[in-house]
Amino acid sequence: MSDNRFKLHWITAIIEVLKTLKEMILPLLVLIFANGLKDLGTGKWYIDYASFIIFGVLLIVFFVTGIIKWKRFEYWFEEDELRIEYGLFVKKKRYIPFDRIQSLDYTEGILHRPLKLVKVKVETAGSSSVKKSEAELTAITKDAAKRIEMEIAEAKNRRKAIPVEEGELAEELHIEEMQEKSVFTLSAKDLLILATTSGGIGVILSGAAIFLSQFSEMIPFEWMYEEVSGFIKYGFMIVAIVVFLGFVAVWGLSVAMTFFSYYSFSVALDGQDIVITRGLLEKKRMTVPLNRVQSVRIVENPLRQLFGYAAVVIDSAGGGGAEGAKINLFPLVKKSNVNSSLKEIFPDLILIEPTNKLPARGKHFYYRIDFLWMAPVIGALIYFFFPYGLLSLLIIPAIILFGLWQHHSAAYEIARNQLTMRFRGVSLQTAFLMKKRIQSMEMKQNYFHKRKNVATLAASIKSGIGIFRAHVFHMEESEADRILSWYERSGEDKGQQE
Amino acid sequence: MRAQPVNRISEKGLRVWRLYGMIQTALLLLVAIGAGVLAYFFEGPWWIYAIATVAVLLFAYLFIYLFPKVRWMRWRYEVRESEIELQHGLFIVKRTLIPMVRVQHVDTAQGPILRKYNLAEITISTAATNHTIPALVTEEADELRGRISVLARVAVDDV
């Protein structure tokens, strides 16, 4: 144990300044454009250029606070705790026991890379806020990051050596010596497919825009005055083209962003942790302890399902940040490879396809409720756009088909201590839930359900500090009962119920 | 078919709900009177009065009489050694199972109206979800809170 106090790298000051600037960029722009470009001509230079002066002063203030923030930040190790002291006006101290540290996540931004630095996020089991991790070291050298890891590992070993837990000791030590074992990498081709299909909705929408621009020619404008017709036709085309280009731009942007953030994506197993690395401009390394994983889900959106691809998402408990909750384990993977890769990470998972389908009795529940909003909408469309409004009647078969599709997709299966639920919103999800990870289970029935003996079943899983709910809608009532009974801890209790 | 949970919530809970309904109806009545006064001064058609009256009466019937009654009839709970089972719901009947091992903490809370009737609501929290039993006699709620927290501590995580 060393009582040395460590500082962050000086680049921290610059990163802090940039961060503040990023948050301030809008007000600054408003300030400059509202005042700066206008020639007031008052003759007094300090009034003419007031906005620039304010801007300059702010910049200096940001810069100074950035430096002070960096100067004030200190961390050190003491009594098996990571201790941090920071704060501009109020000195804040935070002590995090090593035992509570679940993982250290590394990020290398553009500023970090040339200097061989990393940003370290310290994640604990129960982070108090969604946005922030327990502690963040904005920029330290890779060696320093290693030192933290070593310090934690050493302390954990020391602790283990004192209270002898029979058998466990040898086993766990062995685990820690294990090397990182690569489980999954995203190939260049898959990355490209991932990037291009990530904006799937964009593609569909731009397709719709093309269709619309064609459609404008079908509208019989001859009915109207020539000039007005010409204008509308012209305007319609312009709008359609602009909308189309807009979609293409947004889609292109999303492709680029996905490409950068998932570049060289790989998943490795390191003892009891899953280690995920990814990113081109900003390199990220995230550690998820296996025992924190709450559920494993296979998500297939229709476009990718068509080509036999799927994604695997895991929900993790605790940990700060949106990333702490829902993690893309395999962003894109051939459906045929999902099971073998998952098996390596979660050997206990029973990866069978759920075979129990839903009864035909429940079918109409999938679309009937939609008629409630459809009827007035269709009515209004027909009334206001008379002949063409009739086209809105097409919504009805579309909704029915969609409902039937959802009904057809849904399935469930109980195998030992695992519940598998498959359901479809638009994307098909197959959730594998361990009994011990389900926080609570709910069966819902309305009056019509009861008449048809169907019920909706929902299982709640902890995901970050929030919830993920897996549903099977409108299933056989007796089967829902059976699953609830399976979920009940003690069969013997049921005898005493009456 | 699963047996229903055995315990019901306090009968006074029904009265509290009726009271809530009356307060809501009173508010609606004020709005309706406002509309009526406006209609009178601007010489609105007769059916404005009719709609306002019917709306208030219907609201009163539903929120003071029918909904509390159905809700109260539906509300059942049962605390067993290894799980808590709840059943409630007006239009959609929900049955919830919360295993003892999942219970993180139990709270009781009491607003001014509940206190007047010597009632308390009890909230059971798991790591992800919250479940509230809305009206129990205070002593009963305290006793239940104690029992659940003991059971939750004793329960061993199986699986």
Side-chain angles (χ1 to χ4, degrees):
Chain A
M1 194 185 302
S2 55
D3 279 351
N4 293 336
R5 295 194 165 206
F6 303 103
K7 284 235 176 300
L8 304 181
H9 192 268
W10 57 264
I11 200 101
T12 305
I14 296 177
I15 295 173
E16 289 288 346
V17 173
L18 289 178
K19 216 158 73 184
T20 335
L21 269 183
K22 210 171 103 191
E23 281 160 24
M24 291 287 296
I25 199 96
L26 257 182
L28 279 178
L29 280 181
V30 169
L31 189 73
I32 288 172
F33 280 101
N35 281 322
L37 299 180
K38 173 166 65 180
D39 187 12
L40 293 172
T42 49
K44 292 190 180 110
W45 63 271
Y46 54 84
I47 293 181
D48 285 354
Y49 296 103
S51 56
F52 290 102
I53 294 165
I54 294 171
F55 178 72
V57 170
L58 275 179
L59 211 60
I60 293 166
V61 170
F62 289 162
F63 193 69
V64 172
T65 46
I67 288 177
I68 296 173
K69 264 188 193 163
W70 162 63
K71 278 275 182 201
R72 276 293 180 94
F73 198 103
E74 272 180 341
Y75 70 92
W76 71 99
F77 313 107
E78 205 178 312
E79 289 177 22
D80 288 351
E81 283 179 335
L82 171 66
R83 300 189 166 182
I84 295 170
E85 204 176 282
Y86 64 103
L88 195 55
F89 298 108
V90 185
K91 241 192 180 172
K92 292 172 202 157
K93 290 183 185 184
R94 174 166 275 168
Y95 295 174
I96 308 167
F98 287 156
D99 287 343
R100 277 189 50 216
I101 296 179
Q102 292 270 13
S103 68
L104 301 173
D105 292 347
Y106 299 142
T107 314
E108 289 171 53
I110 308 171
L111 286 172
H112 293 90
R113 305 271 295 273
L115 295 162
K116 302 245 179 307
L117 302 172
V118 284
K119 178 167 101 180
V120 180
K121 273 197 209 161
V122 182
E123 301 282 7
T124 59
S127 275
S128 43
S129 104
V130 203
K131 276 257 177 77
K132 279 205 160 153
S133 49
E134 204 76 349
E136 200 173 289
L137 308 176
T138 316
I140 57 173
T141 58
K142 280 182 181 166
D143 291 338
K146 271 265 147 51
R147 189 160 51 213
I148 300 177
E149 256 179 36
M150 267 170 49
E151 201 81 35
I152 293 173
E154 247 174 55
K156 279 189 178 164
N157 280 342
R158 225 180 301 130
R159 181 147 304 185
K160 258 182 238 147
I162 302 164
V164 185
E165 287 158 15
E166 315 84 43
E168 264 178 49
L169 179 66
E171 197 185 334
E172 284 190 37
L173 277 179
H174 170 71
I175 283 164
E176 264 167 35
E177 281 157 18
M178 263 169 61
Q179 279 297 308
E180 269 191 27
K181 186 171 132 230
S182 175
V183 183
F184 174 83
T185 48
L186 198 63
S187 69
K189 182 183 146 227
D190 285 351
L191 174 63
L192 223 60
I193 298 175
L194 174 74
T196 43
T197 55
S198 69
I201 288 166
V203 178
I204 294 164
L205 285 180
S206 42
I210 299 172
F211 174 74
L212 270 180
S213 70
Q214 295 300 310
F215 195 68
S216 75
E217 276 154 6
M218 283 155 55
I219 295 175
F221 286 109
E222 283 75 16
W223 286 6
M224 310 181 189
Y225 295 108
E226 286 279 308
E227 281 150 65
V228 177
S229 124
F231 174 74
I232 288 181
K233 211 166 175 179
Y234 185 62
F236 211 87
M237 280 305 280
I238 294 273
V239 169
I241 288 168
V242 167
V243 166
F244 173 69
L245 287 179
F247 280 130
V248 169
V250 168
W251 175 70
L253 202 69
S254 92
V255 168
M257 272 164 61
T258 318
F259 183 83
F260 285 137
S261 78
Y262 284 98
Y263 185 83
S264 79
F265 184 98
S266 79
V267 178
L269 260 184
D270 179 13
Q272 290 301 300
D273 296 328
I274 305 170
V275 180
I276 301 172
T277 30
R278 65 184 172 90
L280 181 63
L281 296 180
E282 200 179 43
K283 237 183 180 170
K284 285 193 172 173
R285 182 173 185 274
M286 187 166 49
T287 321
V288 186
L290 273 175
N291 58 18
R292 230 169 68 180
V293 174
Q294 304 289 304
S295 83
V296 179
R297 289 187 266 153
I298 300 176
V299 182
E300 298 162 71
N301 83 29
L303 198 64
R304 291 180 190 162
Q305 195 183 2
L306 205 63
F307 296 106
Y309 280 100
V312 176
V313 172
I314 54 178
D315 286 288
S316 159
E323 286 174 274
K326 193 182 133 198
I327 298 156
N328 272 321
L329 186 66
F330 307 155
L332 187 78
V333 60
K334 265 267 181 249
K335 188 77 206 298
S336 47
N337 295 338
V338 171
N339 286 8
S340 58
S341 303
L342 269 183
K343 204 87 210 162
E344 267 187 86
I345 304 178
F346 306 101
D348 294 338
L349 220 56
I350 305 160
L351 293 162
I352 42 168
E353 293 281 309
T355 50
N356 293 309
K357 291 287 192 179
L358 308 192
R361 266 178 291 130
K363 245 180 208 168
H364 60 275
F365 287 110
Y366 276 93
Y367 49 77
R368 204 167 63 178
I369 200 93
D370 292 319
F371 290 139
L372 279 181
W373 64 261
M374 263 190 306
V377 169
I378 291 174
L381 281 172
I382 293 178
Y383 182 81
F384 288 112
F385 304 96
F386 172 62
Y388 299 102
L390 284 171
L391 282 173
S392 62
L393 286 171
L394 288 174
I395 300 175
I396 295 175
I399 290 284
I400 290 178
L401 284 176
F402 187 62
L404 289 180
W405 194 29
Q406 288 180 325
H407 173 265
H408 178 75
S409 306
Y412 59 93
E413 186 81 59
I414 297 177
R416 268 181 286 154
N417 285 319
Q418 183 191 311
L419 172 63
T420 310
M421 290 171 123
R422 173 173 285 178
F423 51 99
R424 179 189 289 284
V426 176
S427 295
L428 183 69
Q429 292 204 38
T430 311
F432 301 100
L433 313 169
M434 302 299 284
K435 190 182 190 178
K436 64 173 175 178
R437 298 296 193 195
I438 301 174
Q439 298 289 341
S440 67
M441 198 119 101
E442 192 170 69
M443 175 175 131
K444 294 179 231 179
Q445 253 187 331
N446 62 30
Y447 171 74
F448 302 102
H449 278 139
K450 205 160 229 163
R451 253 188 9 187
K452 294 276 183 196
N453 286 327
V454 294
T456 290
L457 195 75
S460 303
I461 296 290
K462 184 175 162 69
S463 172
I465 60 166
I467 321 174
F468 163 70
R469 279 208 178 85
H471 282 100
V472 173
F473 293 99
H474 322 304
M475 68 191 295
E476 188 89 50
E477 186 188 14
S478 59
E479 287 291 281
D481 273 353
R482 186 170 71 90
I483 295 175
L484 276 188
S485 303
W486 163 84
Y487 183 57
E488 264 176 349
R489 297 288 140 156
S490 44
E492 68 267 22
D493 262 24
K494 263 182 278 166
Q496 301 163 13
Q497 256 181 53
E498 295 300 291
Chain B
M1 188 60 204
R2 292 172 64 85
Q4 290 195 344
V6 286
N7 303 0
R8 324 200 72 156
I9 60 171
S10 166
E11 210 154 325
K12 284 190 285 182
L14 183 59
R15 267 191 267 164
V16 172
W17 284 338
R18 296 230 151 109
L19 194 64
Y20 288 151
M22 282 177 211
I23 294 170
Q24 285 164 334
T25 311
L27 287 175
L28 187 74
L29 188 65
L30 283 179
V31 174
I33 290 172
V37 169
L38 281 178
Y40 179 78
F41 278 111
F42 292 99
E43 293 173 4
W46 61 271
W47 48 261
I48 287 186
Y49 304 104
I51 286 182
T53 318
V54 169
V56 170
L57 287 178
L58 189 69
F59 191 88
Y61 170 73
L62 290 179
F63 283 80
I64 299 177
Y65 176 72
L66 191 65
F67 289 173
K69 188 179 149 198
V70 174
R71 196 173 274 146
W72 188 83
M73 297 276 282
R74 285 279 164 70
W75 241 111
R76 283 160 178 271
Y77 70 95
E78 187 171 331
V79 177
R80 295 195 288 273
E81 206 164 298
S82 45
E83 68 258 320
I84 301 161
E85 185 164 1
L86 307 176
Q87 176 196 296
H88 64 106
L90 187 62
F91 297 108
I92 300 170
V93 184
K94 296 177 192 150
R95 296 185 68 160
T96 316
L97 266 184
I98 311 145
M100 278 300 171
V101 256
R102 297 277 83 88
V103 175
Q104 297 272 324
H105 50 88
V106 196
D107 306 317
T108 48
Q110 207 174 28
I113 295 180
L114 283 180
R115 186 171 313 136
K116 191 174 166 291
Y117 285 89
N118 191 31
L119 292 176
E121 58 175 38
I122 183 163
T123 303
I124 301 148
S125 307
T126 71
T129 54
N130 288 330
H131 310 271
T132 303
I133 306 175
L136 293 176
V137 176
T138 310
E139 293 78 38
E140 204 186 327
D142 286 338
E143 187 266 335
L144 194 64
R145 186 189 56 206
R147 206 166 96 222
I148 292 174
S149 73
V150 168
L151 284 172
R153 243 176 290 150
V154 171
V156 261
D157 206 340
D158 58 354
V159 195

Coordinates of all heavy atoms in Angstrom, one line a residue, chain B residues 7 17 33 36 39 46 51 61 71 73 76 80 85 88 90 93-94 98 121-122 124 128 131 144 156:
Chain B
N7 N -56.2 -12.7 1.8 CA -56.5 -11.5 2.6 C -57.1 -10.4 1.8 O -56.8 -10.2 0.6 CB -55.2 -11.0 3.3 CG -54.6 -12.1 4.1 OD1 -55.1 -13.2 4.2 ND2 -53.5 -11.7 4.7
W17 N -61.5 5.5 -0.5 CA -61.6 5.7 -2.0 C -62.9 6.5 -2.3 O -62.9 7.3 -3.3 CB -61.6 4.3 -2.6 CG -60.3 3.7 -2.7 CD1 -59.1 4.3 -2.6 CD2 -60.0 2.3 -2.9 NE1 -58.1 3.5 -2.7 CE2 -58.6 2.2 -2.9 CE3 -60.7 1.2 -3.0 CZ2 -57.9 1.0 -3.0 CZ3 -60.1 -0.1 -3.1 CH2 -58.7 -0.1 -3.1
I33 N -70.5 23.8 -12.8 CA -71.3 25.0 -12.4 C -70.7 26.2 -13.2 O -71.5 27.0 -13.7 CB -71.1 25.2 -10.9 CG1 -72.0 24.2 -10.2 CG2 -71.6 26.6 -10.5 CD1 -71.8 24.2 -8.7
G36 N -72.1 26.1 -16.5 CA -73.5 26.5 -16.5 C -73.7 28.0 -16.4 O -74.6 28.5 -17.1
A39 N -73.0 29.5 -19.7 CA -74.0 29.2 -20.6 C -75.2 30.1 -20.4 O -75.9 30.6 -21.3 CB -74.5 27.7 -20.5
W46 N -79.8 24.7 -24.4 CA -80.2 24.0 -23.2 C -79.4 22.7 -23.0 O -79.2 22.3 -21.9 CB -81.7 23.6 -23.3 CG -82.0 22.7 -24.5 CD1 -82.3 23.1 -25.8 CD2 -81.9 21.2 -24.6 NE1 -82.4 22.0 -26.6 CE2 -82.2 20.9 -25.9 CE3 -81.6 20.2 -23.6 CZ2 -82.2 19.5 -26.3 CZ3 -81.6 18.9 -24.0 CH2 -81.9 18.6 -25.3
I51 N -75.8 18.1 -20.6 CA -74.5 17.4 -20.6 C -73.8 17.6 -19.3 O -73.3 16.6 -18.8 CB -73.7 17.9 -21.8 CG1 -74.2 17.4 -23.1 CG2 -72.2 17.5 -21.6 CD1 -73.4 17.8 -24.3
Y61 N -71.5 8.5 -10.0 CA -71.8 7.1 -9.9 C -70.6 6.2 -10.0 O -70.4 5.3 -9.2 CB -72.9 6.8 -10.9 CG -73.1 5.3 -11.0 CD1 -73.9 4.6 -10.1 CD2 -72.6 4.6 -12.1 CE1 -74.1 3.3 -10.1 CE2 -72.9 3.2 -12.2 CZ -73.6 2.6 -11.2 OH -73.8 1.2 -11.3
R71 N -63.0 -2.1 -7.3 CA -61.5 -2.2 -6.9 C -61.3 -2.9 -5.6 O -60.4 -3.7 -5.4 CB -61.0 -0.7 -6.9 CG -59.5 -0.6 -6.9 CD -59.1 0.8 -7.0 NE -59.0 1.2 -8.4 CZ -59.3 2.5 -8.8 NH1 -59.7 3.4 -7.9 NH2 -59.2 2.8 -10.0
M73 N -63.3 -5.0 -4.1 CA -63.7 -6.4 -4.2 C -62.5 -7.2 -4.8 O -62.2 -8.3 -4.4 CB -64.9 -6.6 -5.2 CG -66.2 -6.0 -4.7 SD -67.0 -7.1 -3.6 CE -67.7 -8.2 -4.7
R76 N -56.8 -8.2 -3.2 CA -56.5 -9.3 -2.3 C -55.0 -9.4 -2.2 O -54.3 -9.1 -3.2 CB -57.1 -10.6 -2.8 CG -58.6 -10.8 -2.6 CD -59.2 -11.8 -3.5 NE -60.6 -12.0 -3.2 CZ -61.1 -12.8 -2.3 NH1 -60.2 -13.6 -1.6 NH2 -62.3 -12.9 -2.1
R80 N -47.0 -15.2 2.1 CA -46.6 -16.5 2.5 C -45.2 -16.5 2.9 O -44.5 -15.5 2.7 CB -46.9 -17.5 1.4 CG -48.4 -17.6 1.0 CD -48.7 -18.8 0.2 NE -48.2 -18.6 -1.2 CZ -49.0 -18.0 -2.1 NH1 -50.2 -17.5 -1.9 NH2 -48.5 -17.9 -3.3
E85 N -48.2 -12.5 -2.7 CA -49.0 -12.5 -3.9 C -50.1 -11.4 -3.8 O -50.7 -11.2 -2.7 CB -49.7 -13.9 -4.0 CG -50.5 -14.0 -5.3 CD -50.8 -15.4 -5.7 OE1 -50.5 -16.3 -5.0 OE2 -51.5 -15.5 -6.8
H88 N -55.1 -7.3 -7.9 CA -55.8 -6.0 -8.0 C -56.1 -5.6 -9.4 O -55.7 -6.2 -10.3 CB -55.1 -4.9 -7.2 CG -53.8 -4.6 -7.9 ND1 -53.6 -3.4 -8.6 CD2 -52.6 -5.2 -8.0 CE1 -52.4 -3.4 -9.1 NE2 -51.7 -4.5 -8.7
L90 N -58.9 -2.7 -11.8 CA -60.3 -2.4 -12.1 C -60.8 -3.0 -13.4 O -61.6 -3.9 -13.4 CB -60.4 -0.9 -12.2 CG -61.8 -0.2 -12.3 CD1 -62.5 -0.6 -11.1 CD2 -61.6 1.3 -12.5
V93 N -57.3 -7.2 -14.4 CA -57.0 -7.9 -13.1 C -55.5 -8.3 -13.2 O -55.1 -9.1 -14.0 CB -57.9 -9.1 -12.8 CG1 -57.5 -9.6 -11.4 CG2 -59.3 -8.7 -12.9
K94 N -54.7 -7.8 -12.2 CA -53.3 -8.2 -12.2 C -53.0 -9.0 -11.0 O -53.4 -8.7 -9.9 CB -52.4 -6.9 -12.1 CG -52.6 -6.0 -13.3 CD -51.8 -4.7 -13.2 CE -52.2 -3.7 -14.2 NZ -52.0 -2.4 -13.8
I98 N -44.3 -11.9 -5.8 CA -43.0 -11.3 -5.4 C -42.3 -12.3 -4.5 O -42.8 -12.5 -3.3 CB -43.1 -10.0 -4.7 CG1 -44.1 -9.0 -5.5 CG2 -41.8 -9.3 -4.5 CD1 -44.9 -8.2 -4.6
E121 N -50.6 2.7 4.0 CA -50.3 1.8 2.8 C -48.9 1.3 2.9 O -48.1 1.9 3.6 CB -50.4 2.7 1.5 CG -49.6 3.9 1.4 CD -49.7 4.5 0.1 OE1 -50.8 4.6 -0.5 OE2 -48.6 5.0 -0.4
I122 N -48.8 0.1 2.4 CA -47.5 -0.6 2.5 C -46.9 -0.8 1.2 O -47.6 -1.2 0.2 CB -47.7 -1.9 3.4 CG1 -46.4 -2.6 3.7 CG2 -48.6 -2.8 2.7 CD1 -46.6 -3.6 4.8
I124 N -43.8 -2.6 -1.1 CA -42.8 -3.6 -1.1 C -41.9 -3.3 -2.3 O -42.4 -3.3 -3.4 CB -43.5 -5.0 -1.2 CG1 -44.4 -5.2 0.0 CG2 -42.4 -6.1 -1.2 CD1 -45.6 -6.1 -0.3
A128 N -36.0 -4.0 -8.8 CA -36.5 -3.3 -10.0 C -37.9 -2.7 -9.8 O -38.2 -1.7 -10.4 CB -36.5 -4.3 -11.1
H131 N -44.3 -2.4 -5.3 CA -45.7 -2.9 -5.2 C -46.4 -2.3 -4.0 O -45.8 -2.4 -2.9 CB -45.7 -4.4 -5.2 CG -44.9 -5.0 -6.2 ND1 -45.4 -5.3 -7.5 CD2 -43.6 -5.3 -6.2 CE1 -44.4 -5.8 -8.2 NE2 -43.3 -5.9 -7.5
L144 N -47.3 -6.4 9.4 CA -47.0 -7.0 8.2 C -45.6 -6.6 7.7 O -44.8 -7.4 7.2 CB -48.1 -6.6 7.1 CG -48.0 -7.5 5.8 CD1 -48.4 -8.9 6.2 CD2 -49.0 -6.9 4.8
V156 N -33.8 -18.0 1.8 CA -32.5 -18.3 1.1 C -32.8 -18.3 -0.4 O -33.8 -18.8 -0.9 CB -31.9 -19.6 1.5 CG1 -30.9 -19.5 2.6 CG2 -33.0 -20.6 2.0

